Amino acid sequence: MKEKVTSVESTPAKNKLFDKAVFKKEIQENVKLLFRKTIDHASQEEIFQAVSLAVKDIIVDEWLATHKTYNDTNPKIVYYLSMEFLIGRALGNNLINLRCYKEVSEVLDEMGIDINVVEDQEPDPALGNGGLGRLAACFLDSLSTLGYPAYGCGIRYKYGLFKQKIENGYQIEVPDNWLKNGYPFEIKRAEYKQEIKFGGYVRVVWDEQAHKNRFVQTDYQSVYAVPYDLPIVGYGNNMINTLRIWDAEPIVEFNLESFDKGNYTKAVEQENLAKSIVEVLYPNDSHYSGKELRLKQQYFFVSASIQRAIQKYKELNNNDIHKLYEKVCFQMNDTHPTIAVAELMRILVDEEDLEWDEAWDITTKCCAYTNHTIMAEALEKWPVDLFMRLLPRVYQIVEEINRRFVNQIEERYPNQYNKVKSMAVIYEGQIRMANMAIVGGSSVNGVARLHTEILEKRELKDFYEMMPEKFSNKTNGITQCRFLLHANPLQAEWVTKKIGTDGWITDLSQIKGLEKYADDPTVQKEFMDIKYQNKLRLAKYIKEHNGIDVDPNTIFDVQVKRLHEYKRQLMNILHVMYLYNQLKANPNMDFYPTTFIFGAKAAAGYKRAKETIKLINSVADVVNNDPTINGKLKVVFIENYRVSNAEIIFAASDVSEQISTASKEASGTGNMKFMLNGALTIGTMDGANVEMAEEVGEENMFIFGMSAEEVMAYEANGGYNPYDIYNSDGDLRKVLEQLVDGTYSKEGDLFNEIYTSLLKGTGYDRPDVYFNLKDFRSYAQAQARVNKAYKDRNNWAKMAILNIASVGKFSSDRTIEEYVKDIWHLEKITVNV
Ligand SMILES: *Cc1c(COP(=O)(O)O)cnc(C)c1O
């Protein structure tokens, strides 16, 4: 169990619906009702359930009020379609946003219960992999806080992202059964279930009355999509939006009757189909795996979400489908939900009886697409035969979309077949989902300025030339409610005191008010003291979870994010190996003791990533147990990195590692969370790092490495020769040889593959695809600058304060306002309780 730094909540304002005495009574009643126990016999987990139910009671009143406002004012609604919502724990965040965290913590205190322990009982709903899923969660929080009507639409995976255990230095994946004890905040809405059809074939039937052909899917299998609603609480505004996640249930109840009717096989099949669809979240981050089940998941939640959105729209708008785009917008988070374009067309044409042209006009106005990566392996393409077999009618629609679009291309670019080749939706037997999203939507956006520029100039150049009006940039952001107010209460309170207002909670630009204190030694010391408290909290967590003692007086240098070659955890650990050699050769060298902290899950099938985890742990074993370096260097791998421990980690970090190969990280959002918590960034000019440098000034970051331009120039020329570096840089050569000479693996040649991939390349890849060695020296020099800078504590604190003061742009509130203004065109609503 971990300890949180507790302090008074920053805002004095209270929730109208909250009454301490009533709340206390309700907790006791809930324990009785749920568990037939008195409070003194209840377990911490049971108390968590009871407290959550009491909080849900407050939420439900505001939730009803929000929906009454929806129905009274009939606003435009954005449906944020995403395969992932990495929401993190709800209890603490809900209390913060309901503005009764402090009061609830006091009530519990009076009952002899520690709120931190109660919060720790909640499983992290790990319904996402990493940044993309966390972005979706931050966006929902911001939409509620800003007062915009929205639904998040996703899947209620039975198993979220696996839990990571480290055994003998290796990652072990353990199933994450987050629903085991029931999830207290969800509400099943069986009345909104939708039928979803798969397979079969399409029969063309002449409709005599309407004088047209009808396309009827027959011999299909189907399941019910049944929604569960989770409340998304706005900060202090009574607004509760909904995250709607779909579960699957069989349509035919499995029973003996169907056996008698000869439907036995079909009943079993449909039951299995329902079970399998929502069974598990695919654990790949930025990597596409063309699995049929994944396509089923995509169609399942997209079709259900659109069907329900249209029903709701029709109820409120006299069934007038022609103006759907005035009230409904579907934002597609990456290509995963882009089948929405074809499904909306199918519904409008087949079920709403619209002509193709009108349906297309409505669809392209309703849909919008966010691109999250330029890496080839992440671009989704589905083989035509698989797609056709699974979704025969939707496939016909995709074909027609493609036919018409190719005609358009040929009209605009006669005899330029390369244009068809790059932009067609169907090409060489594959359906290219990004292309469909661009053609079928009103908007395409990248997630940081550099990323959008690369899309426009390179990856999507032809589309940009043909339809420039669709393109825009929306630099990602994060919610300060979770990542400062909840994660770092000491710093949150301090910020409020310094700038004399808690207005930053709903308008992060106000945090600029800190800037004037950057040179004040008293304030610098206050900041360093708070950082120290947070480092103590993390040290305690590490001791409890890893059994390692870390010294909070050392620099906490942190890289936490998914494990991916482009993120270059490998370069980081190679640098640690290099430092270790330096220290061994010269134990008295001028070096500020540093703890290098890693946290990362690797996709279960990603071999190189898993080897990197083993390498980090092997280096940790050697370095941490070498008495001759006097504890100047430590390496810690924090198991099972996820939102809940991320909150503790960011608050305790001195140095933020954002070292991706330039051009590869579309935006990054971890970088912003560190900045918000006063860590200094060592990073490449990649993703949103570029804009962070622009906000805070390059002199307040540690920037190194090749630019995106340089990287792309090397790539265009087939890479570089790592042996040039190997031969000229003795220190790095030694580190590389230590990968294969037994220094870090007594068990044989564990790291041969990493060695080979760096120097020689593999059958598939050129050597050092991600330029680890090429950027190594520049990285080591930047690390040396970090180490030197930390010795001047006042100046370090000054830089940290300037970083915090400059973080305003990176609130997801700002991002959402941009989406609203340029793409969604929503109006704010006001909810009264
Ligand atoms: C923010 C966040 C991420 C994304 O981190 P990046 O450094 O941007 O890749 C991933 N996982 C969790 C748990 C996060 O909170």
Side-chain angles (χ1 to χ4, degrees):
M1 113 185 68
K2 68 172 199 281
E3 190 185 59
K4 290 227 169 86
V5 181
T6 43
S7 72
V8 286
E9 197 190 337
S10 301
T11 172
K14 287 207 185 91
N15 187 296
K16 271 194 208 160
L17 303 173
F18 186 83
D19 179 305
K20 263 183 161 179
V22 174
F23 194 80
K24 185 187 248 173
K25 184 111 188 45
E26 204 170 338
I27 295 174
Q28 284 157 343
E29 285 298 309
N30 288 346
V31 170
K32 225 168 73 188
L33 275 171
L34 290 168
F35 308 108
R36 206 214 59 183
K37 280 185 186 172
T38 56
I39 195 98
D40 34 310
H41 288 101
S43 69
Q44 296 293 339
E45 205 279 328
E46 289 164 343
I47 291 171
F48 159 73
Q49 294 283 350
V51 173
S52 297
L53 206 58
V55 175
K56 190 185 195 174
D57 203 17
I58 301 172
I59 287 175
V60 167
D61 287 328
E62 295 192 358
W63 213 352
L64 287 168
T66 302
H67 279 270
K68 181 168 185 319
T69 315
Y70 273 27
N71 290 339
D72 292 348
T73 59
N74 188 19
K76 187 173 185 186
I77 300 174
V78 64
Y79 292 85
Y80 196 82
L81 306 179
S82 179
M83 289 288 276
E84 305 186 12
F85 288 91
L86 191 50
I87 51 183
R89 288 179 177 158
L91 177 57
N93 200 243
N94 287 343
L95 292 175
I96 289 270
N97 286 6
L98 291 169
R99 289 184 304 178
C100 56
Y101 190 93
K102 184 174 158 244
E103 289 78 4
V104 168
S105 130
E106 286 164 4
V107 169
L108 292 174
D109 215 37
E110 287 164 21
M111 301 167 81
I113 300 164
D114 180 347
I115 191 167
N116 296 313
V117 178
V118 174
E119 281 186 60
D120 256 353
Q121 304 307 309
E122 182 175 349
D124 268 55
L127 308 182
N129 272 287
L132 174 143
R134 185 55 235 176
L135 183 77
C138 283
F139 279 4
L140 294 186
D141 282 0
S142 284
L143 280 159
S144 287
T145 293
L146 294 167
Y148 292 116
Y151 281 83
C153 304
I155 295 175
R156 186 172 177 269
Y157 300 104
K158 182 158 175 230
Y159 296 97
L161 185 61
F162 62 85
K163 274 192 188 137
Q164 180 191 56
K165 291 234 148 68
I166 302 294
E167 282 177 19
N168 188 27
Y170 291 99
Q171 166 177 300
I172 309 288
E173 299 92 25
V174 181
D176 162 49
N177 189 358
W178 69 290
L179 291 165
K180 190 175 58 196
N181 296 328
Y183 188 69
F185 291 101
E186 68 177 4
I187 298 181
K188 181 174 181 174
R189 308 300 301 274
E191 68 272 33
Y192 295 144
K193 73 181 178 195
Q194 309 291 331
E195 185 178 4
I196 315 294
K197 299 174 182 173
F198 296 99
Y201 59 96
V202 180
R203 229 160 21 104
V204 185
V205 182
W206 178 251
D207 182 335
E208 190 57 54
Q209 240 174 352
H211 262 260
K212 63 195 249 184
N213 279 328
R214 303 241 168 238
F215 299 84
V216 186
Q217 194 172 348
T218 48
D219 273 2
Y220 55 84
Q221 290 189 339
S222 62
V223 295
Y224 279 131
V226 183
Y228 287 71
D229 286 355
L230 277 59
I232 305 292
V233 180
Y235 182 84
N237 62 353
N238 313 315
M239 173 105 173
I240 315 274
N241 278 319
T242 303
L243 169 55
R244 175 161 285 170
I245 49 180
W246 297 90
D247 189 17
E249 289 181 12
I251 299 217
V252 216
E253 274 306 313
F254 178 70
N255 56 28
L256 280 172
E257 209 185 323
S258 51
F259 179 77
D260 292 339
K261 283 182 192 154
N263 281 335
Y264 180 80
T265 322
K266 182 151 183 163
V268 175
E269 277 172 4
Q270 299 210 358
E271 176 131 340
N272 287 339
L273 178 64
K275 271 203 191 116
S276 66
I277 286 182
V278 295
E279 183 74 4
V280 65
L281 165 72
Y282 279 89
N284 302 314
D285 191 63
S286 306
H287 195 288
Y288 143 84
S289 76
K291 293 281 194 304
E292 178 165 343
L293 184 57
R294 171 83 171 182
L295 183 58
K296 277 188 197 161
Q297 291 183 333
Q298 296 180 347
Y299 182 67
F300 168 78
F301 95 92
V302 165
S303 177
S305 305
I306 296 182
Q307 287 188 54
R308 179 57 207 149
I310 290 179
Q311 285 161 4
K312 187 179 174 75
Y313 165 83
K314 285 167 77 175
E315 283 157 20
L316 286 172
N317 296 277
N318 304 316
N319 289 314
D320 181 9
I321 194 71
H322 307 281
K323 300 232 168 98
L324 182 71
Y325 56 86
E326 287 186 358
K327 300 287 180 183
V328 168
C329 182
F330 297 108
Q331 186 68 36
M332 303 179 284
N333 195 24
D334 212 334
T335 53
H336 320 146
T338 53
I339 202 166
V341 168
E343 174 65 1
L344 180 53
M345 281 300 289
R346 184 191 67 78
I347 293 171
L348 294 176
V349 171
D350 288 1
E351 291 175 14
E352 300 295 336
D353 244 356
L354 299 186
E355 294 299 322
W356 182 279
D357 287 332
E358 192 191 4
W360 185 246
D361 180 60
I362 294 172
T363 298
T364 50
K365 282 179 179 154
C366 285
C367 295
Y369 160 59
T370 302
N371 177 289
H372 282 269
T373 176
I374 55 163
M375 290 194 301
E377 71 262 30
L379 285 182
E380 272 189 299
K381 307 183 256 330
W382 291 104
V384 162
D385 50 351
L386 185 160
F387 199 104
M388 193 179 348
R389 184 162 42 77
L390 196 64
L391 306 166
R393 178 56 185 150
V394 180
Y395 176 70
Q396 292 178 333
I397 303 236
V398 175
E399 243 186 4
E400 182 62 12
I401 291 172
N402 182 57
R403 192 185 65 77
R404 289 170 181 243
F405 181 52
V406 169
N407 283 346
Q408 256 182 305
I409 300 172
E410 283 169 344
E411 227 167 83
R412 166 90 182 256
Y413 302 105
N415 303 318
Q416 282 184 252
Y417 190 69
N418 61 327
K419 297 285 186 190
V420 175
K421 187 175 166 182
S422 76
M423 291 190 284
V425 176
I426 304 179
Y427 193 77
E428 290 185 338
Q430 301 202 298
I431 303 173
R432 304 190 289 195
M433 301 306 275
N435 295 23
M436 182 153 80
I438 299 168
V439 178
S442 63
S443 150
V444 189
N445 74 279
V447 289
R449 195 206 305 134
L450 175 69
H451 169 61
T452 302
E453 278 168 17
I454 294 173
L455 291 178
E456 291 174 355
K457 288 191 193 131
R458 291 175 179 254
E459 308 306 309
L460 302 176
K461 184 168 178 285
D462 287 337
F463 282 109
Y464 183 58
E465 184 185 285
M466 194 169 167
M467 39 192 98
E469 72 288 350
K470 287 192 186 184
F471 283 71
S472 74
N473 175 244
K474 300 284 169 283
T475 298
N476 284 166
I478 55 162
T479 169
Q480 63 270 27
C481 292
R482 180 179 292 270
F483 290 110
L484 187 52
L485 193 50
H486 185 258
N488 193 345
L490 289 180
Q491 188 186 309
E493 193 191 4
W494 172 78
V495 168
T496 298
K497 267 209 196 112
K498 289 296 121 183
I499 65 180
T501 164
D502 66 3
W504 59 270
I505 299 170
T506 49
D507 172 12
L508 194 59
S509 69
Q510 293 185 28
I511 208 164
K512 200 79 197 164
L514 265 186
E515 198 175 53
K516 62 172 183 284
Y517 297 104
D519 282 310
D520 181 337
T522 321
V523 180
Q524 290 167 354
K525 180 162 184 315
E526 287 168 5
F527 170 79
M528 292 304 266
D529 287 347
I530 289 168
K531 185 58 84 181
Y532 185 79
Q533 291 301 316
N534 287 320
K535 287 165 81 171
L536 273 178
R537 178 174 66 159
L538 180 59
K540 189 157 180 262
Y541 179 92
I542 290 172
K543 180 70 182 167
E544 277 165 13
H545 292 81
N546 294 60
I548 298 177
D549 287 299
V550 299
D551 179 356
N553 292 303
T554 61
I555 300 172
F556 279 13
D557 177 304
V558 183
Q559 186 172 22
V560 286
K561 48 182 74 243
R562 282 305 290 260
L563 213 139
H564 206 297
E565 284 166 282
Y566 83 79
K567 292 176 184 279
R568 297 201 293 197
Q569 283 93 351
L570 180 56
M571 187 169 73
N572 186 343
I573 198 67
L574 291 175
H575 174 256
V576 174
M577 290 160 66
Y578 158 82
L579 277 180
Y580 178 56
N581 291 341
Q582 305 286 304
L583 277 168
K584 279 212 70 96
N586 182 4
N588 294 321
M589 100 183 182
D590 189 18
F591 177 73
Y592 202 100
T594 303
T595 305
F596 288 92
I597 297 170
F598 294 82
K601 290 182 188 177
Y606 192 169
K607 196 151 165 267
R608 184 75 44 76
K610 292 174 112 176
E611 287 165 4
T612 306
I613 290 178
K614 175 63 178 166
L615 176 61
I616 293 167
N617 285 309
S618 299
V619 173
D621 270 351
V622 172
V623 170
N624 298 350
N625 294 306
D626 184 342
T628 69
I629 55 166
N630 298 324
K632 284 190 176 167
L633 202 56
K634 277 230 165 113
V635 180
V636 176
F637 190 97
I638 296 179
E639 197 173 71
N640 203 27
Y641 175 58
R642 61 197 191 282
V643 178
S644 59
N645 61 15
E647 293 184 29
I648 302 171
I649 295 168
F650 296 129
S653 298
D654 297 307
V655 181
S656 160
E657 296 268 355
Q658 305 302 333
I659 59 178
S660 54
T661 311
S663 81
K664 303 297 179 199
E665 186 76 270
S667 165
T669 49
N671 45 5
M672 304 166 186
K673 300 169 200 165
F674 281 105
M675 186 183 190
L676 178 64
N677 283 274
L680 301 191
T681 303
I682 179 167
T684 47
M685 276 297 197
D686 198 19
N689 296 356
V690 177
E691 290 159 75
M692 283 165 49
E694 187 171 283
E695 294 297 306
V696 71
E698 292 193 17
E699 68 283 8
N700 294 306
M701 284 171 64
F702 300 90
I703 293 164
F704 72 92
M706 287 193 286
S707 67
E709 290 285 332
E710 288 171 297
V711 167
M712 291 186 291
Y714 273 109
E715 285 173 339
N717 286 315
Y720 77 104
N721 182 5
Y723 275 100
D724 293 342
I725 294 170
Y726 180 90
N727 290 326
S728 63
D729 187 332
D731 296 333
L732 184 51
R733 183 166 63 242
K734 179 166 177 188
V735 167
L736 289 166
E737 289 310 320
Q738 285 171 333
L739 286 172
V740 289
D741 71 2
T743 306
Y744 296 105
S745 84
K746 305 281 174 281
E747 312 159 40
D749 35 11
L750 289 178
F751 309 118
N752 283 13
E753 284 204 18
I754 290 179
Y755 178 89
T756 306
S757 77
L758 286 171
L759 283 170
K760 301 172 207 285
T762 64
Y764 308 95
D765 287 324
R766 56 185 162 76
D768 195 12
V769 173
Y770 295 100
F771 302 94
N772 291 282
L773 307 185
K774 190 88 186 147
D775 268 349
F776 183 86
R777 264 298 147 189
S778 161
Y779 177 54
Q781 283 159 5
Q783 277 288 5
R785 295 202 299 276
V786 169
N787 198 267
K788 183 153 178 261
Y790 196 79
K791 286 173 200 156
D792 183 348
R793 288 175 70 84
N794 288 96
N795 192 53
W796 184 274
K798 173 184 171 178
M799 290 200 286
I801 292 168
L802 288 175
N803 267 270
I804 302 168
S806 309
V807 80
K809 174 175 177 184
F810 303 104
S811 169
S812 46
D813 299 342
R814 185 269 313 151
T815 315
I816 288 298
E817 291 290 15
E818 290 180 11
Y819 276 94
V820 166
K821 180 166 162 290
D822 300 338
I823 305 171
W824 302 337
H825 310 295
L826 309 174
E827 306 281 348
K828 287 191 188 196
I829 61 174
T830 309
V831 179
N832 299 305
V833 289

